[in-house]
Amino acid sequence: MAAEKIVILTGAGISAESGLGTFRDEGGLWAQHRIEDVATPEGFARNPALVHSFYNARRVQAAEAAPNAAHEALARLQRDWPGEVVIVTQNVDGLHEKAGARAIHMHGELAGALCAACGQRWPAPMEMAPGTACPACTAPAGRPDIVWFGEIPYHMEIIAEHLQSCDLFASVGTSGQVYPAAGFVQEAAYSGAHTVELNLADSDISRAFDDHRIGPASEVVPAWVAELLASL
Ligand code: APR
């Protein structure tokens, strides 16, 4: 097991115990807001103020949130495991980094701003407003650096390379309802990886996994990491 490469996909469930809402659980974000209004380019074009207020509220909440034992356990694994440990996150909350881990953000980050005109990126202010000027091209085209529905997730090439070369693939806190992330388990399994799902409940993709750890991430993730490190 020592030199094994591990790839871990995380979703909103890993941050639930840090007080950040998930999307599809009871009362989740998609029960409070229509995706087409706040998480699509068309929604942003139609009502940029509404979209900015949605992300401003989440940006403030994420800035005030603390990583939980699950984020900390993955950071420990990344630090103490002799092989490569790659975290690919669908989350935009920055909690992996706050726990001291490095993560590939396939859906962007709340802490980032993007110019819709020239593609320039810069650190987002806590509150963005319609007409935010781009520091590079000065166009009033600043938007949250978040991948919206209908847009292409970031870093897909390097993620595919990691999935094709990993020995162990884990998924933490995701419902498996949004592709391409929901297909990562098949890509990893096809390349020979052992796969494990760590989640509060069964997901849409549970049957694709070899192994399952059902429970809150703050409990099942530290236990799983302890088991891996004890196997060295
Ligand atoms: N511990 C572990 N898992 C949990 C916990 C918890 N404390 N609380 C909830 N979960 C699980 C739920 O059972 C569910 O399977 O986390 C999952 C959350 O699913 P979603 O709300 O659909 O979030 P996610 O899978 O990350 O959504 C994927 O959809 O809307 C887009 O871009 C958005 O990145 C997001 C993507």
Side-chain angles (χ1 to χ4, degrees):
M1 284 283 270
E4 283 204 338
K5 174 171 178 176
I6 305 174
V7 173
I8 302 158
L9 169 69
T10 63
I14 197 172
S15 298
E17 291 162 273
S18 295
L20 298 183
T22 60
F23 294 96
R24 296 173 182 84
D25 289 320
E26 184 76 25
L29 285 168
W30 298 148
Q32 303 161 40
H33 307 272
R34 286 170 11 117
I35 287 178
E36 51 273 34
D37 290 343
V38 296
T40 62
E42 297 77 13
F44 185 65
R46 206 171 33 247
N47 188 343
L50 173 67
V51 174
H52 277 305
S53 66
F54 175 67
Y55 288 98
N56 290 344
R58 292 181 64 201
R59 191 175 296 109
V60 169
Q61 218 194 6
E64 290 165 357
N68 63 57
H71 297 102
E72 283 155 8
L74 294 188
R76 183 164 54 252
L77 184 65
Q78 208 168 46
R79 191 185 56 238
D80 298 344
W81 185 254
E84 189 180 4
V85 177
V86 176
I87 298 171
V88 178
T89 188
Q90 300 173 90
N91 299 341
V92 295
D93 57 35
L95 290 182
H96 284 302
E97 289 76 9
K98 276 188 184 174
R102 298 174 311 287
I104 297 173
H105 286 263
M106 64 181 289
H107 289 167
E109 297 181 74
L110 286 167
L114 169 68
C115 176
C118 76
Q120 173 74 19
R121 286 185 166 81
W122 67 95
M126 205 45 83
E127 309 253 331
M128 288 188 81
T132 296
C134 169
C137 75
T138 72
R143 56 166 276 188
D145 188 12
I146 299 285
V147 177
W148 286 328
F149 286 91
E151 296 183 324
I152 312 288
Y154 296 153
H155 312 301
M156 288 308 295
E157 272 183 39
I158 187 65
I159 292 171
E161 285 172 29
H162 287 314
L163 293 170
Q164 287 152 21
S165 60
C166 70
D167 306 289
L168 176 59
F169 175 80
S171 171
V172 180
T174 182
S175 62
Q177 294 188 38
V178 176
Y179 285 81
F184 288 174
V185 54
Q186 276 101 345
E187 286 184 60
Y190 186 73
S191 304
H194 180 74
T195 59
V196 54
E197 182 179 52
L198 299 95
N199 209 54
L200 188 62
D202 270 352
S203 73
D204 276 23
I205 50 173
S206 291
R207 63 189 168 288
F209 288 86
D210 300 314
D211 188 7
H212 302 84
R213 307 293 169 92
I214 299 291
S218 66
E219 291 171 19
V220 296
V221 176
W224 176 68
V225 167
E227 214 176 279
L228 283 172
L229 295 177
S231 73
L232 289 175

